[in-house]
Amino acid sequence: MPRSSLPFFELAKRWLLTGIAMLLLVTLSLGLSAAYRQSRLPVGNPITDGRALLRYALPIDNQPVRDLQSSLEDIANQLRANRRWSAISSDISKAGSILSRPEKLLASVPEAQKPKAEALIEELKGQLTAISNANEAKDKNQISLERSKALNLVGDLEDLMVQKFPYEVPAEYSNLPQLKGRATIEMTTNKGPITLVVDGYSAPVTAGNFVDLVERGFYDGMKFIRAEESYVLQAGDPPGPDQGFIDPATGKYRAIPLEILVKGDRAPTYGITLEDAGRFREKPVLPFSAYGTVAMARPEFEPDGGSSQFFFFLFEPELTPAGLNLLDGRYSVFGYLTEGKEVLEKLRAGDTIESAKVVRGAENLVQPQAA
């Protein structure tokens, strides 16, 4: 089994640079039709916040809570656009209008969870007042802080709306651990702590494998083997000749399939890149558009050859524009960094994962049934 480190990144980087250059040439020489822009380029501002991407990826169907989230997310756009206080006021007003009709939010919450949901809605109302007060004071930092708190509450409310795992994983992967939900991982590195959330709703096999390895202590003491500034940071290659995890139960290399959930699909696509499937214009639910995107490394020409090696994608807008990323659909994204960006920025090849542990969501890991 060839190492899943240097070859695929070099090829991917060439794809990125070549693809962007080709896009620029086509744009300059031919122009882009309105229809092509709508199908190929992102609508609005691409989302580059991992927490926001995780919120939008939850398998729920409640438009009011999505509108609530969108209004609060938009405040960040207004803060970046020279502090548009009136636009922020409009976002606050929209959010307040939604919270004034709690029955529409509660409609998607199971009966047993409604008391928690009602308490969250009340907290959100208070948080919205705090955002409004900060906006009146034109305090950009305080607005950002209070908005983040509000969005955390929205995320908790949305979590309560998930009533069951939304699909069946193909039986051929029943021999692999699966994450039927989400899990939060804390990694302690020699440069400091980082936190990531892995998403089993979008990548149950990939995320399940990762959580299983974390719980086994597989990554403890392991070094980062590759780092490219503004590109990737990779780990998960065990010492010795093995290039992935050898399952002690079978004595064999645990191979993890390429797993990608496309927006609009009910379940992931397995074993084939979106390009090879003729779906290169479609967008994954978990894209490579946030700093600290967590994805599975694999041998260059083996879609189902991943195992234990993973990488953080160090989003760089000039190289990999959000919404137009040539890594999307070619590698399995299974989570995002949620805390410790300043630590991730410092990590280099040779640095160490001192420990990794599951701090939330371990109960969502489903182990294979013994034969």
Side-chain angles (χ1 to χ4, degrees):
M1 182 71 64
R3 288 193 181 275
S4 47
S5 54
L6 289 173
F8 104 81
F9 284 124
E10 294 301 336
L11 181 60
K13 198 167 186 178
R14 289 199 298 273
W15 278 336
L16 289 167
L17 294 172
T18 302
I20 292 169
M22 289 177 64
L23 178 65
L24 290 173
L25 286 173
V26 170
T27 303
L28 289 171
S29 60
L30 300 176
L32 292 171
S33 69
Y36 182 79
R37 282 198 300 272
Q38 291 174 359
S39 63
R40 184 70 179 97
L41 298 177
V43 178
N45 295 319
I47 302 171
T48 59
D49 179 354
R51 292 183 185 87
L53 288 165
L54 286 165
R55 285 188 285 268
Y56 281 119
L58 281 169
I60 60 176
D61 184 18
N62 183 288
Q63 193 57 46
V65 83
R66 290 306 193 196
D67 292 341
L68 174 63
Q69 179 187 339
S70 179
S71 294
L72 294 171
E73 302 281 9
D74 186 63
I75 291 174
N77 296 329
Q78 306 308 332
L79 289 174
R80 285 192 293 268
N82 298 319
R83 307 175 185 175
R84 293 192 223 169
W85 313 115
S86 61
I88 293 174
S89 294
S90 177
D91 284 329
I92 294 169
S93 178
K94 289 176 185 176
S97 177
I98 295 165
L99 290 173
S100 70
R101 299 187 296 275
E103 68 281 358
K104 294 189 175 181
L105 296 169
L106 293 170
S108 298
V109 178
E111 200 64 36
Q113 300 285 10
K114 282 187 177 177
K116 290 183 181 178
E118 289 169 348
L120 286 170
I121 290 170
E122 289 305 310
E123 282 191 73
L124 274 163
K125 290 178 180 178
Q127 201 57 47
L128 205 61
T129 298
I131 299 172
S132 181
N133 291 340
N135 189 51
E136 288 179 11
K138 297 186 177 180
D139 188 333
K140 181 178 180 181
N141 291 334
Q142 193 65 25
I143 293 171
S144 182
L145 177 63
E146 302 298 348
R147 166 191 169 274
S148 293
K149 292 178 182 178
L151 281 168
N152 287 338
L153 293 171
V154 170
D156 291 341
L157 179 60
E158 290 172 339
D159 281 337
L160 296 179
M161 294 179 179
V162 181
Q163 301 196 25
K164 63 179 181 178
F165 194 77
Y167 54 85
E168 291 293 327
V169 176
E172 63 189 287
Y173 305 121
S174 61
N175 62 320
L176 297 170
Q178 297 175 19
L179 189 68
K180 298 296 185 70
R182 286 183 173 171
T184 302
I185 313 295
E186 284 186 359
M187 282 188 178
T188 300
T189 75
N190 61 305
K191 295 289 179 64
I194 58 177
T195 302
L196 48 144
V197 173
V198 294
D199 182 18
Y201 294 123
S202 301
V205 177
T206 313
N209 171 68
F210 184 76
V211 171
D212 176 64
L213 294 180
V214 167
E215 292 212 310
R216 290 172 182 265
F218 179 84
Y219 295 111
D220 295 355
M222 198 165 283
K223 292 187 179 298
F224 291 98
I225 59 171
R226 175 174 173 78
E228 266 195 55
E229 188 175 356
S230 300
Y231 192 39
V232 294
L233 177 72
Q234 185 173 341
D237 184 13
D242 299 324
Q243 293 141 37
F245 174 64
I246 305 301
D247 191 335
T250 63
K252 297 180 180 179
Y253 179 94
R254 181 193 281 175
I256 303 302
L258 180 65
E259 181 179 42
I260 300 167
L261 179 62
V262 175
K263 289 182 179 180
D265 285 2
R266 295 188 62 182
T269 294
Y270 289 91
I272 187 171
T273 66
L274 295 189
E275 181 179 30
D276 288 342
R279 306 181 68 184
F280 60 91
R281 292 186 179 182
E282 300 188 45
K283 298 174 185 177
V285 170
L286 302 181
F288 282 93
S289 64
Y291 187 93
T293 298
V294 188
M296 176 66 73
R298 62 175 175 80
E300 187 175 343
F301 299 111
E302 297 182 43
D304 294 342
S307 181
S308 61
Q309 294 192 44
F310 70 97
F311 64 96
F312 291 102
F313 185 59
L314 310 181
F315 173 68
E316 177 58 50
E318 288 75 17
L319 179 63
T320 53
L324 194 64
N325 193 309
L326 296 183
L327 290 181
D328 284 335
R330 290 187 170 93
Y331 299 95
S332 302
V333 173
F334 61 96
Y336 295 98
L337 180 84
T338 56
E339 295 179 38
K341 181 176 184 290
E342 70 286 351
V343 174
L344 185 57
E345 290 172 337
K346 297 175 185 176
L347 290 169
R348 300 290 184 270
D351 284 326
T352 304
I353 299 172
E354 296 177 348
S355 66
K357 61 181 180 179
V358 182
V359 296
R360 183 179 180 183
E363 70 279 3
N364 295 325
L365 180 65
V366 179
Q367 293 288 359
Q369 296 296 314

